[in-house]
Amino acid sequence: MFLDTANTEHIEKALQSGIFQGVTTNPTLLLKEGENRGQKVEELFTKDVPFLFIQAVGSTFNELYEDAHRIYSLAAEEKKIGVKISLNQTGLSVISKLKQENPDYTILGTAIYSADQAILGALAQCDYLAPYVNRMSTHGIDPYDAIKKTRAFIDFRNLNAKIMGASFKNSQQVIQALTSGAHTATIPYDIYVQMIDKEVALSAIDVFNQHGYELRDS
């Protein structure tokens, strides 16, 4: 699992769980924190974030390509940072160029709204593919069918791409994405809390603790 946020406090709390492989961010999340990208990346690496995905921005090949290289240069260890690139014609061209230069570059293809788009990303050697689950649903697209078809394509051809479900509004969407074939998911902090701190479970834990305290102190 990955955590989809740029909030340092949330990242520190969530990483204590031991279940998160890293953090994904985007320009909207970074802007919300009120810090520039370089400063935020430097701060997050001081918090022992195991892996960090940053969105490359640019409307032309050169802009996107150059920004991807700026992102890779932000980490002292190349293996701790990856670039998110939106999957359109320009994005595919940049991904191809980057992978030719260095097959070890980690790339997450984003802004995926269909199986055919994801399949092209897999063929372009994306390491991860991010179908936007909730956004697809709101546009009348079945995200879980797209995930199933993408997973079948990847598995049949033994490709290296992994599906990382993204864009969630509730925990049930996360579970359905994973059970539909997504290898992993990137989730906001509030959905992580929804998934683990169930009210009925917390009530039961409170009772266990209370009875335990009574036994301990008797």
Side-chain angles (χ1 to χ4, degrees), residues 100-178:
Q100 287 175 15
E101 291 177 352
N102 187 346
D104 292 332
Y105 280 151
T106 302
I107 298 175
L108 166 57
T110 67
I112 293 174
Y113 286 79
S114 64
D116 48 2
Q117 194 183 7
I119 284 170
L120 292 179
L123 292 174
Q125 300 182 60
C126 284
D127 300 278
Y128 291 91
L129 303 163
Y132 284 1
V133 173
N134 188 68
R135 294 189 190 184
M136 292 168 76
S137 294
T138 59
H139 283 83
I141 303 166
D142 185 346
Y144 312 112
D145 181 64
I147 289 172
K148 289 177 183 177
K149 289 176 178 176
T150 304
R151 180 62 185 265
F153 181 87
I154 290 170
D155 289 350
F156 182 73
R157 288 159 179 79
N158 198 29
L159 300 175
N160 293 323
K162 293 183 179 180
I163 302 169
M164 182 192 294
S167 174
F168 298 108
K169 287 299 181 184
N170 58 67
S171 61
Q172 289 307 304
Q173 289 180 332
V174 178
I175 299 305
Q176 196 163 350
L178 292 171

